[in-house]
Amino acid sequence: MADASRKKPRLQGKLVKHAAPSQFKYSNLQTTVRIQHKTPYISAIKRVDTMMKALKGRQPKKSYITVLGMGATIEKTMNIGVHFQAQGCRVEVFTKSVEVLDEFLDQDDSDDESVLRKRSVSCVELRVYKPFDLQ
Amino acid sequence: MKKQGFDSKKYKQIKRRQARQIKSQTHDPALNKDGILNTAEFLKSRKFEIGELEKAQLNSKFASSTRAFQSLPRTLRRRTASHNVKRIPKRLRKRALREMQSSDTPASSKRGKLRGRELYRARTVSSLLRLATRLQLHKQLPGNTTLGRLRMRQRIKELNKQLKSSRDADSIDFNNTIGSYDISSVNSLASPPRGKVKYTKRQLEFTWLNTHVWHAKRAHMIKRWGWQIPLQPTQKCFRSSHRAFNLDGAVVWDKSFIGTCIIQGDNEASIVELVNQVIVGKKWTKLKSDGLSINTMVESDDDIIGEITIIAFQSPATKRCVIRAHPSIYTEVFNLLVSKRTEDVEIVDCRYALGSIEITGPVALSSLATVLKPVDPSSANAQIFKELCCQTHLPDKTMFTLMVQDPRLANRTKPSQRSNADPLDSLIRMKATRENLDQFTIEALLTSKGRMESYKDQKSLKQVQVELNKPVDERQPGKPIPVMLFNNDGVWTVLVPWFWTLPIWHALVHIAHVKLGGLKQTHQLKFESGKLFFPVDFPFTQVGELENKLNADVKREKWAKKPKGKRVNYDSIKIGNSRGEVGDPFGCDWRYLQVLRIALPHVTNNRSISRTSVWNEQFQRKIEELHDVYNLIEDVKQSKVNKLSKLPIRLSSAVEYPSTIESPLPVTTINVTTLSRGSIGDNARLYSIPTEDLSEWLSTIDSKHTNGRKNHESYPQCPSPQHLVGFITSGTYNLHEGHATGVGCVDSVWTTRSERFLLLRNVGVDVVRLVTWEAVDALKAMRPTRR
């Protein structure tokens, strides 16, 4: 858990949490899975499975599927990693932190004034490699 | 194809034979001389064979799909691709040509037919000849100048003089050769653009967009609200647009038909005063901060007109509010503003002066950045745009202003993110310094002079080509174009001078994964995020009511055309214990709902019928028993009741019913979701659950068969019409949610009972489904909610 002393104090006003900055890459669509709070565990596993089966002919060639989880979904992401490890896949785990934007709207909910602040969130990236019998 | 040494029939034969061959390893190296099996070798050869088998399956599958154009995806198929190789992508043309020669289809040849410039020239010559003979016959020129003896040159001179004088009569000062000019008007409505002479007659009633010709080839167009508007692309695109919105591309619309007007003046107080007079909800205390766009609704005399977007701009000299409204309400809003304005405020109609393009999806902003290249890349506003333009998601209401190059001449390379720049830092910096807002650009876009300046020497397609043929350093770049981009709930709107829409549009639709959208796609986008679509989901406005009636009429006509045996007989259909559809089966019958809900509380005797109809002294029907309510509804339907409210419903959170049907029923907008099964269609009826049936309905939620499957068979029957509380205005399968959802309105007074469930029944069906609902704040439905 985060150290309480390092936690930033809550500002006045309604908090709007913005999505983490991301850039679109077409080839990522077939090689990257982002785990959300509402993503069901089984769906994520099935999605990784199907992507893995289609890996061979992909351009640019990649030998693994990336699974990304942030904040509260780290646990679910790790569970997915464990599942694939048990299936005989090589799984690499990377930890990192992602910066996100918090917006504090003015008290009376007018859109006029708001304060922006950065916050750091832990993130985990799994690389699930194809098992040998599939290659 | 003869060069290859065999004809196409033979080629086909060989191809088929090859496809069906499966390679196998006949000489197996795994078994060595001593008869010992080498496992590694054995596995390797089996693996090879399995691979070959799979490959052969695929090969023979693809070999049997005979023609090249048949193997293309839907989006790449063209109408005459079987005859014309040019309609097939280049990589397949060779194959297509070969196939065409082998089959009986004759390839279309160019010879013998006049095309393009030659055809045009031939036509001109023939019409000129025809004209010349006619002139010779009549021996006169227009304008009653009989010039039998004049020579040809003199005739031409005379004609030119006449033409010139007629042109001078209503001349416009053009500063370019292609006829772009600024069409705005102060405190009065502007007249529509003239359009090309060839097409003027077709746009007398319904104005064309700049991109009309482009759209007409690719989309179904409708004539509504004084415009010809693309309804939806010709190609089916329900699923693909959903993906483009959310996942893998972008959808682009030409939204120039959305009207724009500008309130401007130097007195901030009178602008705020004017805005406060028309908007619904919380009033402004001061002018909103620079560049902030706000969605709100307009009202006049307590009647809601519709939704608008307001963007405020303040420079030391002038304060401005840009107002964007749907074309169905634009003139009403404009006239309202003009009637309420004070002397120090002027309202400029920029309906035909500012064009707009909307684009949404993960590649939306980067596509815009590909097309719109700043003239001065080192300026602060261009820098901040460069730092942020690669992001898939930026906070709502982000705005950029830019002076850009002509997109046809600009170097349209894809933007790339600098690795050292943090987009969040840029956003925080932008919030503090407001360097995204360049006052010069805003001034150039929002004034007639600035827009005219951007049209100066605007190049025609041919002139652009001439420039492109020159070396890069000798090109004349042309005047910069002022552009404004703002993010409204994930949808980027680009505001540009009217006659620059087409060049930008052409550049934009050439970017990969950018798809075309029409009105229906806007509806789909709003629906999938649970928001209201104007005007369909605004039945409490005049325009929404009209839309509902129009749609109902279309459905009624279609129904009436069917033979009796093949259409649903809505009058005798059995619903619950009664017969006949509730209200008008083709639309949402708000009048029925209003009379029903307002009259029901007056009923004292709910059970029995003790008497026939009774009238009071004012010849009004006495409402005491249940049948009186239905009789009153029947009276209203046959217009026997004179005193009726103008609109049957109004958006309000009132907690009590009005006393008579002279005032409208208060309604709340809601979003419904099915609990388990069932589809939701437009105009579906919403019922409250009768108290006596409540426990039975609740038990169906978890009801299961003995084998553990959910029980869908035993639902209680449909409640009687007196439990009707609302209608669904748009409902269908929601790809974003993965099940059916609907948007509609229900009786506000009923919502105060805070029941969790509703019953939903589609039109002409007896089956009722349990649904959950949540209120949608019609004002806030258009305000930021994160994806």
Side-chain angles (χ1 to χ4, degrees), chain A residues 17 22-23 111-112 114 118, chain B residues 289 392 425 431 783 786:
Chain A
K17 290 177 177 173
S22 66
Q23 288 180 42
D111 334 58
D112 228 356
S114 64
K118 279 207 289 189
Chain B
S289 58
T392 52
D425 282 337
K431 182 94 188 169
R783 297 190 49 196
R786 286 174 311 113

Side-chain angles (χ1 to χ4, degrees), chain A residues 12 27 41 43 76 82 113 120:
Chain A
Q12 288 277 304
S27 55
Y41 176 70
S43 312
K76 198 193 283 178
V82 169
E113 306 302 330
S120 205

Side-chain angles (χ1 to χ4, degrees), chain B residues 397-433:
Chain B
K397 302 187 190 310
T398 310
M399 174 175 277
F400 297 107
T401 53
L402 296 167
M403 286 304 248
V404 298
Q405 303 169 30
D406 185 341
R408 299 169 293 180
L409 292 173
N411 177 15
R412 301 202 298 250
T413 45
K414 240 181 171 178
S416 58
Q417 182 81 29
R418 261 179 293 171
S419 53
N420 57 356
D422 180 8
L424 298 188
D425 282 337
S426 310
L427 274 172
I428 294 170
R429 195 180 82 230
M430 189 174 88
K431 182 94 188 169
T433 58

Side-chain angles (χ1 to χ4, degrees), chain A residues 14 16-24 26 29 38 99-101 103 105 108-119 135, chain B residues 47 247-249 282 286 288-289 292 294 362-363 390-393 395-397 417 422-425 427-428 431 513 780 783 786:
Chain A
K14 190 182 153 199
V16 176
K17 290 177 177 173
H18 288 288
S22 66
Q23 288 180 42
F24 179 79
Y26 203 82
L29 284 177
K38 61 178 181 185
E99 290 200 309
V100 291
L101 199 65
E103 188 172 5
L105 293 179
D108 54 342
D109 201 23
S110 72
D111 334 58
D112 228 356
E113 306 302 330
S114 64
V115 181
L116 296 176
R117 194 171 69 178
K118 279 207 289 189
R119 175 167 50 92
Q135 258 165 13
Chain B
K47 195 183 169 191
L247 202 68
D248 66 356
K282 222 180 131 202
K286 59 180 173 57
K288 295 281 176 182
S289 58
L292 186 79
I294 291 162
V363 300
C390 292
Q391 295 299 311
T392 52
H393 176 272
D396 194 35
K397 302 187 190 310
Q417 182 81 29
D422 180 8
L424 298 188
D425 282 337
L427 274 172
I428 294 170
K431 182 94 188 169
H513 313 305
K780 290 206 172 167
R783 297 190 49 196
R786 286 174 311 113

Side-chain angles (χ1 to χ4, degrees), chain B residues 19 64 328 438 442 482 504 518 521 524 528 564 587 606 751 773:
Chain B
S64 63
S328 60
D438 176 39
I442 295 170
I504 293 177
Q521 279 62 46
Q524 185 187 350
E528 285 183 0
K564 260 190 181 166
N606 213 346
T751 57
W773 65 278

Side-chain angles (χ1 to χ4, degrees), chain B residues 519-695:
Chain B
L519 274 187
K520 281 201 172 173
Q521 279 62 46
T522 314
H523 195 165
Q524 185 187 350
L525 177 69
K526 290 263 181 186
F527 175 76
E528 285 183 0
S529 45
K531 293 189 183 117
L532 309 178
F533 172 65
F534 189 82
V536 178
D537 298 328
F538 285 64
F540 41 83
T541 63
Q542 195 97 57
V543 185
E545 166 83 354
L546 190 70
E547 185 76 16
N548 179 25
K549 278 187 179 148
L550 271 174
N551 287 341
D553 286 344
V554 170
K555 278 186 186 161
R556 188 173 295 115
E557 255 170 49
K558 208 174 165 189
W559 178 84
K561 269 182 193 167
K562 280 187 183 171
K564 260 190 181 166
K566 292 194 172 171
R567 64 189 188 197
V568 183
N569 189 351
Y570 289 113
D571 289 335
S572 66
I573 196 165
K574 187 177 171 294
I575 293 163
N577 282 333
S578 53
R579 287 211 171 264
E581 183 54 71
V582 179
D584 178 14
F586 303 102
C588 303
D589 202 338
W590 298 109
R591 186 62 79 184
Y592 183 100
L593 184 74
Q594 178 212 9
V595 180
L596 179 80
R597 299 308 298 177
I598 293 177
L600 269 182
H602 297 279
V603 175
T604 45
N605 179 2
N606 213 346
R607 292 272 164 234
S608 59
I609 303 172
S610 61
R611 57 163 177 76
T612 53
S613 301
V614 181
W615 283 265
N616 66 10
E617 304 80 58
Q618 281 93 42
F619 300 106
Q620 282 168 342
R621 189 182 282 279
K622 264 191 185 169
I623 312 282
E624 281 161 352
E625 296 181 7
L626 199 55
H627 63 95
D628 289 334
V629 176
Y630 295 118
N631 286 335
L632 180 64
I633 293 171
E634 203 54 37
D635 287 351
V636 172
K637 208 188 249 176
Q638 293 166 3
S639 44
K640 284 181 187 165
V641 180
N642 297 327
K643 289 180 178 171
L644 268 179
S645 60
K646 201 167 74 183
L647 285 174
I649 49 172
R650 64 173 275 120
L651 185 68
S652 146
S653 50
V655 291
E656 270 183 15
Y657 290 114
S659 51
T660 61
I661 52 173
E662 285 166 38
S663 23
L665 176 78
V667 291
T668 308
T669 44
I670 62 160
N671 204 337
V672 304
T673 307
T674 47
L675 268 183
S676 56
R677 257 191 199 183
S679 62
I680 302 180
D682 293 350
N683 311 326
R685 274 68 174 138
L686 294 169
Y687 296 88
S688 61
I689 306 178
T691 16
E692 59 272 21
D693 291 349
L694 186 62
S695 56

